[in-house]
Amino acid sequence: MKKFTTPAAAAHDVTVVGIDLAKNVFAIHGIDASGKPCLVRPNVRRDQLLDLLAQLRPCLIGMEACSGAHHLARTLVQFGHTPKLMAPKFVAPYRLQGSRGKNDANDAAAICEAVTRPNMRFVPVKTVDAQVTLTVHRVRSGFVEERTATINRLRGLMSEFGVVLPLKASTVRRQARAACESLPTWVQRVVEDLLGHVTALDQRIDEYDTHIKQIAATDDASKKLMQLAGIGPVTATALAASVGNGHDFKNGRQLAAWLGLVPGMHGSGGKTRLGRITKAGDHYLRSLLVMGARSLLALAASRGDALSRWALTLQARVGYGKAVVALAAKNARLAWAVLAKGDKFKPIT
């Protein structure tokens, strides 16, 4: 492998670097203390990237949060650099040529500019264990989506022959096998294959659920989160892996806003209006918290604790849907307090 060489002066002067990540060819844009570009490399191969960055003195390196960014960030820490990850939507406004001038070199320059902004919001670099946990969650979520799609495909195909099945998955499994006897032979074969695929997915999802429970049982942060009502092993491990110790958020409301559980604000002329929830951020975490809130609200009448009484009062005032979202947002705030404050946090019962 041929080493990548860069002038000694450039390696010494660089203070901030922006990297436009890609699969094989990367773009590098480095500036000195005065903001003048001193290291511009629009085409750096993957096998040359680390060699180039290792020659630089410790500096601030900005990247967009995407596939492979967390692994590269952990590697750069070993070189003494300070990597910072940003959401791509926060980088786009700093591209000087706008959307018409989008290319790898301009993206690297925009990243280099954005990472120096004092009010920029950064994505925390995940540890290897956190990425392993989220990989398990991602694959499990894919199996669940595939199972839902297979059941819907089964319902749609059988409806073509006059067999209309209900939405409930367990009822579809039972009634589809009984109803396929009156269908043509090849349709019976299709129904049996689809039902067999659903059964295989059920078994695989159960295996991943067992693995997630094992992760939750050995992780201190997950065990603390599971003490909160409406948060089980799946939600707890996903939150702990995604949020870490919660120190990247100033308070619980910032975490709730990052998850898209707060209303959008529209203000002009001194008048402020609150709209629907933003649904920004991590869709998977938000859906887990909302499902947990639905379960908690269903059992609120029998629980009788302070949180359940508050939820029932809120439901009576604003309705079921808003109460569920408000309860999910409250759980997000409580989760931040558990992760950020640790044993100092004592929930009110």
Side-chain angles (χ1 to χ4, degrees):
M1 180 183 70
K2 182 180 178 181
K3 286 190 174 182
F4 193 101
T5 58
T6 186
H12 179 73
D13 295 339
V14 173
T15 58
V16 182
V17 175
I19 305 177
D20 183 52
L21 301 179
K23 292 181 180 179
N24 299 311
V25 180
F26 300 77
I28 307 293
H29 187 92
I31 60 175
D32 57 19
S34 63
K36 180 180 178 181
C38 59
L39 179 63
V40 179
R41 298 288 186 272
N43 296 292
V44 179
R45 298 198 308 269
R46 176 174 289 275
D47 57 358
Q48 299 173 332
L49 179 65
L50 292 181
D51 182 67
L52 168 63
L53 297 176
Q55 298 178 40
L56 305 179
R57 68 177 184 178
C59 58
L60 175 64
I61 298 181
M63 297 176 288
E64 292 179 335
C66 60
S67 177
H70 294 275
H71 172 74
L72 180 57
R74 292 193 297 267
T75 304
L76 294 177
V77 171
Q78 300 175 6
F79 294 157
H81 299 305
T82 303
K84 294 287 186 179
L85 305 183
M86 300 163 287
K89 65 179 180 180
F90 295 146
V91 175
Y94 295 96
R95 192 185 305 115
L96 296 180
Q97 286 80 8
S99 59
R100 292 184 178 181
K102 177 172 172 54
N103 55 53
D104 293 345
N106 289 341
D107 285 345
I111 294 170
C112 187
E113 175 69 22
V115 75
T116 62
R117 298 298 90 196
N119 296 323
M120 177 57 62
R121 286 172 282 180
F122 297 105
V123 177
V125 178
K126 294 181 176 62
T127 63
V128 175
D129 291 338
Q131 281 197 285
V132 169
T133 300
L134 291 176
T135 299
V136 175
H137 276 273
R138 191 173 296 113
V139 175
R140 176 191 175 275
S141 177
F143 286 147
V144 172
E145 293 177 0
E146 186 178 353
R147 180 177 63 181
T148 302
T150 303
I151 291 175
N152 289 337
R153 186 179 300 115
L154 176 63
R155 294 179 64 250
L157 291 173
M158 295 191 71
S159 67
E160 296 287 341
F161 296 90
V163 180
V164 180
L165 300 175
L167 290 174
K168 192 173 182 180
S170 59
T171 307
V172 170
R173 291 181 177 90
R174 184 178 64 254
Q175 293 186 5
R177 200 177 299 277
C180 73
E181 297 178 356
S182 60
L183 300 177
T185 304
W186 275 107
V187 179
Q188 294 182 23
R189 172 68 181 273
V190 168
V191 171
E192 291 293 338
D193 288 344
L194 289 175
L195 289 175
H197 186 50
V198 170
T199 302
L201 289 172
D202 289 338
Q203 296 173 352
R204 188 60 59 87
I205 292 170
D206 290 341
E207 293 174 359
Y208 274 74
D209 287 339
T210 301
H211 186 48
I212 288 175
K213 290 179 181 178
Q214 293 174 353
I215 295 175
T218 57
D219 182 61
D220 293 336
S222 298
K223 287 189 286 187
K224 292 177 182 178
L225 287 172
M226 285 190 293
Q227 296 176 1
L228 300 176
I231 294 183
V234 176
T235 307
T237 52
L239 273 172
S242 300
V243 180
N245 56 17
H247 292 168
D248 293 284
F249 303 93
K250 293 182 179 179
N251 48 47
R253 191 184 187 282
Q254 276 199 356
L255 175 59
W258 180 68
L259 294 172
L261 289 170
V262 300
M265 182 182 296
H266 307 276
S268 179
K271 296 181 180 180
T272 302
R273 295 183 177 87
L274 297 179
R276 300 178 179 179
I277 62 172
T278 62
K279 292 187 178 181
D282 196 315
H283 167 76
Y284 180 64
L285 285 178
R286 183 172 63 253
S287 63
L288 290 177
L289 287 169
V290 169
M291 286 189 292
R294 288 174 178 170
S295 176
L296 180 58
L297 192 58
L299 300 174
S302 60
R303 288 175 55 85
D305 59 345
L307 182 62
S308 299
R309 293 194 298 271
W310 172 84
L312 290 173
T313 303
L314 185 65
Q315 180 183 4
R317 188 173 76 249
V318 301
Y320 176 79
K322 292 182 179 179
V324 166
V325 174
L327 190 54
K330 181 176 283 292
N331 263 347
R333 297 189 184 200
L334 292 173
W336 173 86
V338 169
L339 294 172
K341 298 181 179 180
D343 295 334
K344 296 180 180 179
F345 173 74
K346 301 295 181 183
I348 299 176
T349 58

